[in-house]
Amino acid sequence: MKAKLIESVGCLQRSLRLCIRNVALFGSIAALNLTGCSPSDLIDTDVPSGTNDPRAYNTAEGALLRYRGLISSFRQGVSGGTGSQLGFIPTSSLISDELIASQANSINTSGSDASNIAVDSRNLDPESREGAIVQVTAGAWIALHKVRLAAIDAIGALHSYAPQSPPDRIGHAFALWGMSEVMLAELYCSGIPLSRIEFGGGAYIASGSTTEEVYSSALKLFDSALVYATDSLAYRHLAMVGKGWALLGLNRYAEAAAAVAEVPVEFVYNNSHVSEGSGLNFTYYQPDRLVSISGIVSDREGILGLPYISAADPRIDLIQLPSDASLPGVPAFMVRKFVQPAPGAGPVTVASGIEARLIRAEYELSQGGSAWLNTLNDLRSSAGIAGLDPLTDPGVESRVDTLFKERAFWLFLTGRRHGDMRRLVRQYGKPIGNVFPRGPYTGHRSGAYGTAVVLPAPITERDVNTSYSGCFHTNA
Amino acid sequence: MSHITKVLFAILLVTSPIGAQTGGDVNSRLITLNMKNVPVRDALDSVRRKANVKLLYGDRVVPENHKVSLKVKDARVQDVLNTILKRTGAVSRVSRDGQITIVRDTLNRSSSGNNPVTDGAVIIGRIIEAGQKSPIPQVVISIELLRISVQSDSRGVFMLNKIPAGTHRITVRMLGYQTQVSTVEVSGADTIGLDFALVPVANHLTEVVTTGSGDRQRYEVGNSISTIKADSVVQNSFVPTLADLLVNRAPGLQVVHGSGAVGSAKRIRIRGIQSIIGSNDPIVLIDGFRMNSGVGECRPAYSGIDVSCADRTSRLDDLDPDMIESIDILKGPAASTLYGSDAANGVIVIRTKRGQAGPARMNVRADNGFSNYPSQNFPVLTRALGSAAHAADFLPCGLLQLVEPRCGFQDTVIQFGMFRDKNTASIAKGRNTGISMDISGGYPTLQYFIAGSFDDRLGNSKMPKVNQNIIEKAKGGNTLASNLIRPNAEKRSNASIRLNSQASSIADFAFGANIMARKQRRGPNGMSDAFSFRTPDDTITLSEGWTDFFKERSENILHSAVNGTVNMRPFSILMLKASYGFDFSSADDKELTRRDACTPFCQYQYVAEGEVFGGRITETSHTFDLGSTVNIPITTNLSSRTAFGAQYVRTNQSDLNGYQVNLAYGQTEFRLPNLPSVYSPIRANFIDMRTDVKAVFGAYIDQNFTFGNRLFIGGAIRQDATSGLGPQGVKPVYPKFSVSWLLSEESFFPWKDLASFRLRFAYGHAGVQPQMTERLRTYRIWNDFINSSGVYESNVYIEGIGNQRIRPERTVESEYGFEVGILNDRFILDVTRFRKNTRDALASRPIPLSLGGSTYGTVRRAENIGDVRNTGTEITLGAKVVDMSLLSWHSNISYASRKNVLLRLDESILGDVFATNGIMDSRIVPGYPLFGRWARPILGFADENGDGIVSHKEIVLGDSMVFMGPSQPRFDMSINNGFGLLNGRFRVDASLQYQHSMIQYNEFLGKNSQALAYSQILGAGTLMQQAFSAASVQTRPGGSTHYGFMEKVNVLRFNNLSFTAVFPQELIRAMRLRGGSVGLLATNLGMWTSYSGVDPETNTRAADGNEIVDGGGLPQPRTWTLRLSLNF
């Protein structure tokens, strides 16, 4: 700034000298031009000392800061932000059969308690302006869209200001961007506006894209990730799993299997950069009592839910705790993986080789034969988890259920279950009533399950985005 | 006619000094000359010097390039002149008094004879200013009976031709000078010399006012420019701040008060408000340079509206009014076009005092006084107490629990005037002391003015005695620091120096420097704590607000300004100006709770451990100004003034703020390492910095034509490049046009001797540039990224996406009006009507969530989506009602009406309640005033169940909000009177102000009434009060409303009364003084209003200045000051 000012002063001094010497009536302008200074030089301000000015970060170091910002944004998009903002995994787990809302005893009928119950009980009216509904539908929506914006910004900054840095970072950024779009497609209704910013420039407010279009958009991003992530296997594998996930959503099993073929079973991409209070909100407030401020691990939720507790499956690593005083008689469990090594610092798995094997198994199931079962059993045997016996063929009628149950237990609380339930309806033709929790609400509050199978777009998006008219439909 | 025309074409005139030896037959004098090939003019000049005669000629008469050679010895002047003028077409004539004039030989161009004019006499002369001896151009000289009229040229010379023989009455008239009449007897073809020395007389139209291209006389500009003669106002009134100096002094200028706390900022609004989210502040120039004039911060501001935040300080008020000579108010774009992209809200031009040549003069002034409140003005407070089912005993239930009745029940209502009880009142007598001193003087070539002042003011806030007792009892002894007992105070020091030098006949320079330092303590505001009032017997010993008593809110300000200007006049028609000004201000504000200070009263442990919120706002402004002015008299009747210039103004502002807890004992400042390390993982300590830069480069050309010194037509254009729009952004162009017609100077004006009359019209554009950060994508740095080693590192998030298409707000103003001065300005009437349209007003539009918006629409970006119109009328009537030596009474009445309407707002955000800037009580609705008052109406209420209580279930509310009225007065009036008694030995000044039809939100009453809502259970208050109260409870089913607390306000305030007695001459002589006086000055002596609150002008939302909300801030105090003035 000082240098800029000195330069500006210099410009004006030279201008002044010329002005006086030539007695030029329009001296100031003419002199500025003669001295090589234009008015633009004088107003092209620079604020390197500020934290809110973009040019403070138009450096290689700034590009790295933006890249880190993307990673932190992604973490919040997946796990949740501060306070009551739910991320992708908690929201997805509530609307599926993985969690039940845990604030049943509160006399408070508004705020996050009510919103969590609304999601858990599938009572989500897309037209509702009730604050709790708006809040819960907006949480992951905002956080995941922010990932997209941060990715655009980080990629642009790495390109422009850190061309010497490893291109893998750009690949990584593309992969996280792609993941965020898949998550949006998995969780929300058809009709998602993929608004975007231009790097260093304007902003484009989008109308809605269908679920398929969002998956397709993500596919292109994963392909870009693979172009850049040439050296980092971790980022390549992340992109591959993401691509397989998106292809599953598009009902393209063969391509999905091919996409993940190179991913080793040991691969894990953890969202490990979780800070206290802004990570996966499972253990922040009550680390020694419940598994989540948002929900408790459920067991056979809504008649059809899977027995995540009673099955005593070693893949669902729970520690039973004394019941909370506010929920007498309700068993409380802690999910061990989220509190180890420290509360709130546990890894949150975003992509893994296990998922890659499950994607391959689903493709193999679609082809008939027994390869799918072999793949699942190989996975069980190679995992090194005691108590996982080999599966037997349940017969044609139950093969899909078996596969999806395997997915549910292997991928517990990673945000896959809700998308799987949607796919069971959309791709495998199962009635909604045979997939989603139904009947009397089995959470700790009276009422019944509603009919929602997706999260509606937040109505405030529709209010503000004049190009957007809301969900195209709210089917699975 | 031909003679006159040709002479008037003369644009350069050389003349001998008036008063040189004249008379006798100058043509017969003998001179010796030896010249070779010299210009004719030089030759004539030699003749003038050698013969010691008065010799007048114009350059159109004497060719510039014609050269002569001459060698004579003891030749007659007449002969020499004939020789010199040969072949020039000019001849010489000698007047009765011996003055030689060179004129065109129109009768015989080929002749070089000496008998050129034979058809009448010629009267020739020069007009000068009495005392100054400087020539006065464009003075009208007329012989009215003959209908002959001419004007003096640029050197004051005039010539009346073809005057028939006889006695003639010659009238010389010029606005701003006493009219002179002279009788001349003419016979034959006389040439008569007749000079006039005009005596200046005060006339408001001839005052010098500031324009964007330099100083002009008022009658030349087509705008209404109000001038405040600050030195005379300050001399006779108690004016603690610069903003106080502006109150009631100019129609159309509104001073929006903050609270009545010492140091509380006031905001200036001129001709209404036009920006929705942008600044509505005028820009402030001090001696031509940009001055930092914004308001300070108030930490912690994160909690939204805080009563103590009404007490922000203003950089404008850093300046001591004692240092100011005058202030010009340029009210809108029609006047401020040449100030460009920041000037749409008007320009306040401050001119500081400067010295006069002469012996040193010293002035000393000392003030001592106090401030207080009439206690009966304060309301009786209501509070309900009761038992709660699951809370501690004797705590009032919250409002939520009132609706959810399982909370418990209220069984006691207390009504108590805590401000009227000496034990519970949080107000006390304040104190004002101040001293100022200046010394000035100098030589004709260098003048100086040096001044200094110190003010010490103690505000009216006080910790209630009952609280002092409780605290001291709990802490064991008298442990309370005085700054906690009296938390509001200010100390202000000022020093300034100004040097003016006329280094040579073609150059002068000026240098000025001001340095200002303030130490401010603020809040908690006296009434803010009233919502949880205490009783003298301490029945309520625990309450919210206790922690407030231990918070030390302070602000330390350093403000300095330095500037210098060089003016050069290389030619008489050209003036060059180069100047630079620098303004720096630093304001450290802090809210500190020392470690263990509030133990055992702290509700939260982290407060007990000590916490400090605070920050530092630094602002630096640079102003570069280059300008040229060319004055060309095209004809005697027509002259041109052309000004070119360029300005560069750059303002850097940074706001470093932070928060730290767990302080060490004795720690009062931040001790965070690694600035700006930004955000610690534990979220307890953070520090953050925000910066913004505003830079404007603008160039202008201003062309003005003067026709006969009575019609002035001007046009100008300015183009800017601004940082707010960026190097690639649009470069807005602002045009202006103005006409001023001195009708009373026209020959057909019938009452020349009785009145001056001027018509004027002006039209202009100006803008408000957006902040740079509104265009750019902005970022925020955090520390929540954990690397693979588990260590926190910094990362950045996008904070605002910016708006690359943003444009400046553009305001187009037209104004027209007239001024009449009757009987040498004994009565002056000034009427102005204006219309201001603001296009592309910036409003804050929420961005879609898919673009990073928030659920509640709080993430926004500025977009040009509104149009606003302000119209109004301004009238000033000045009268010297009585103008005698024994008694004089001068009165000035001003009136200003305003109408503000939002013409358009982009449809997409019409349903956005947040577009109301987040405050539901004022909204932004097309077709209505900006920030107008809105509320859901109470359609009806009744005590249906007959229990004597109107509960919230017995009220019917309208479905939607209705417009209650504007939050600004529709019109205001002020009257300032000055009385002089006994030859000026005594002086009395009094001023009143009336504001009409403003809708005030009595938030304080509303909050107090929430306590009344509790008491409904016990049937307190009238049914209507109960209805208003019950309807305002926020958790009322079906919504709430503040309808009952919107009040239409008309208020008449007795602003100022002062009595000054001048020392008798005997005493002055005895004390060896130049003068002296003693005065008793009072402010805010009375108020008459229907408003139910304490003071309708108390504003607890002074931060934006666009609306007035009485949220419980201290009202304006009454002050009494004794003043002693000594002049040495």
Side-chain angles (χ1 to χ4, degrees), chain B residues 964-1017:
Chain B
M964 305 292 291
S967 58
Q968 308 279 349
R970 285 189 195 275
F971 73 81
D972 52 47
M973 289 182 67
S974 66
I975 176 166
N976 294 289
N977 291 290
F979 301 91
L981 301 166
L982 303 176
N983 296 313
R985 289 181 62 184
F986 300 98
R987 180 180 172 88
V988 178
D989 289 87
S991 65
L992 295 104
Q993 182 191 31
Y994 176 70
Q995 296 187 76
H996 182 79
S997 208
M998 163 180 71
I999 301 296
Q1000 170 67 294
Y1001 171 32
N1002 191 340
E1003 190 180 42
F1004 181 78
L1005 178 63
K1007 288 181 178 177
N1008 186 32
S1009 175
Q1010 289 182 353
L1012 189 65
Y1014 294 117
S1015 67
Q1016 289 163 20
I1017 295 164

Side-chain angles (χ1 to χ4, degrees), chain B residues 581-785:
Chain B
F582 170 74
D583 189 295
F584 168 80
S585 62
S586 166
D588 287 8
D589 64 288
K590 184 168 63 178
E591 182 183 288
L592 166 72
T593 308
R594 295 170 193 257
R595 189 177 187 95
D596 282 347
C598 63
T599 304
F601 298 95
C602 297
Q603 289 176 297
Y604 302 107
Q605 182 61 29
Y606 62 81
V607 181
E609 291 172 349
E611 63 174 356
V612 56
F613 293 87
R616 171 181 296 168
I617 295 178
T618 55
E619 192 168 355
T620 309
S621 296
H622 302 269
T623 306
F624 298 89
D625 197 346
L626 299 172
S628 315
T629 305
V630 183
N631 287 295
I632 301 174
I634 300 170
T635 70
T636 307
N637 258 323
L638 173 64
S639 64
S640 161
R641 178 186 185 274
T642 309
F644 302 86
Q647 293 168 341
Y648 178 58
V649 179
R650 181 189 176 100
T651 302
N652 293 18
Q653 189 185 69
S654 72
D655 181 5
L656 177 72
N657 69 90
Y659 171 57
Q660 188 176 3
V661 296
N662 197 13
L663 306 182
Y665 285 100
Q667 181 182 346
T668 60
E669 304 289 344
F670 291 106
R671 288 183 192 167
L672 292 180
N674 305 323
L675 296 180
S677 63
V678 184
Y679 211 101
S680 85
I682 61 170
R683 289 179 182 277
N685 300 328
F686 75 87
I687 196 154
D688 183 28
M689 180 182 239
R690 294 185 159 262
T691 57
D692 198 12
V693 174
K694 268 191 176 179
V696 180
F697 178 82
Y700 65 85
I701 176 170
D702 182 15
Q703 176 62 52
N704 291 273
F705 293 103
T706 301
F707 298 89
N709 210 36
R710 51 190 182 270
L711 178 62
F712 306 87
I713 297 177
I717 192 166
R718 171 170 169 141
Q719 183 168 27
D720 279 356
T722 72
S723 59
L725 304 172
Q728 309 307 322
V730 295
K731 310 281 189 294
V733 175
Y734 304 110
K736 72 168 289 185
F737 172 76
S738 73
V739 179
S740 172
W741 187 15
L742 269 171
L743 214 58
S744 55
E745 297 299 299
E746 293 290 356
S747 57
F748 56 78
F749 190 78
W751 305 289
K752 281 191 177 69
D753 294 327
L754 294 176
S756 63
F757 182 71
R758 177 169 80 121
L759 290 173
R760 51 184 161 71
F761 168 80
Y763 166 89
H765 294 213
V768 171
Q769 65 161 321
Q771 289 191 332
M772 185 184 72
T773 47
E774 288 171 335
R775 172 175 57 88
L776 298 175
R777 189 156 297 146
T778 56
Y779 293 84
R780 175 152 284 248
I781 191 164
W782 298 96
N783 239 6
D784 64 353
F785 177 85

Side-chain angles (χ1 to χ4, degrees), chain A residues 28 47 51 153 198 201 461, chain B residues 646 648 689 691 777 779 793 850:
Chain A
S28 48
V47 197
T51 61
D153 189 64
E198 295 169 6
E461 172 77 33
Chain B
Y648 178 58
M689 180 182 239
T691 57
R777 189 156 297 146
Y779 293 84
E793 291 183 355
S850 57

Side-chain angles (χ1 to χ4, degrees), chain B residues 171-174 177-181 198-199 753:
Chain B
T171 305
V172 178
R173 191 191 313 278
M174 176 74 173
Y177 294 92
Q178 215 166 45
T179 299
Q180 286 196 15
V181 177
L198 300 188
V199 178
D753 294 327

Side-chain angles (χ1 to χ4, degrees), chain A residues 1 4-5 8-9 12 15-16 19-20 23-26 28-29 32 39-40 42-47 49-55 57 62 65-66 68-73 75-76 82 107 131 134-135 138-139 141-142 145-146 148-150 153 193-206 272-278 458 460-461 463-466, chain B residues 390 406 568 570-571 574 576-578 622 624 626 628 630 644-646 648 650 652 654 676 678 681-683 688-697 699-701 721-723 725-728 731 772-773 775-781 784-788 792-799 801-802 804 845-856 859 861 908:
Chain A
M1 183 173 68
K4 195 77 185 175
L5 185 60
S8 302
V9 172
L12 285 161
S15 307
L16 181 60
C19 255
I20 294 173
V23 199
L25 299 179
F26 243 135
S28 48
I29 301 171
L32 278 168
S40 296
L42 298 173
I43 60 157
D44 189 10
T45 53
D46 195 5
V47 197
S49 60
T51 61
N52 60 334
D53 188 273
R55 278 163 290 199
Y57 308 109
L65 290 172
R66 295 183 191 199
R68 287 180 189 158
L70 162 65
I71 295 170
S72 287
S73 295
R75 184 197 65 222
Q76 293 191 29
T82 56
I107 63 167
V134 175
Q135 184 182 346
W141 178 278
I142 294 170
H145 277 295
K146 282 185 173 175
R148 300 175 55 252
L149 307 184
D153 189 64
L194 296 179
S195 301
R196 55 182 295 168
I197 56 172
E198 295 169 6
F199 174 68
Y204 167 71
I205 300 172
S272 58
H273 304 145
V274 179
S275 71
E276 184 179 4
S278 59
T460 41
E461 172 77 33
D463 288 345
V464 174
N465 184 345
T466 53
Chain B
H390 60 273
R406 71 183 101 169
M568 295 180 66
F571 308 106
L574 174 67
L576 302 172
K577 182 181 83 168
H622 302 269
F624 298 89
L626 299 172
S628 315
V630 183
F644 302 86
Y648 178 58
R650 181 189 176 100
N652 293 18
S654 72
V678 184
I682 61 170
R683 289 179 182 277
D688 183 28
M689 180 182 239
R690 294 185 159 262
T691 57
D692 198 12
V693 174
K694 268 191 176 179
V696 180
F697 178 82
Y700 65 85
I701 176 170
T722 72
S723 59
L725 304 172
Q728 309 307 322
K731 310 281 189 294
M772 185 184 72
T773 47
R775 172 175 57 88
L776 298 175
R777 189 156 297 146
T778 56
Y779 293 84
R780 175 152 284 248
I781 191 164
D784 64 353
F785 177 85
I786 304 176
N787 66 18
S788 55
Y792 285 95
E793 291 183 355
S794 296
N795 56 314
V796 296
Y797 293 101
I798 296 173
E799 185 176 54
I801 61 170
Q804 296 283 313
R845 187 206 292 269
I847 59 173
L849 280 57
S850 57
L851 212 50
S854 80
T855 312
Y856 302 108
V859 177
R861 72 172 180 177
S908 65

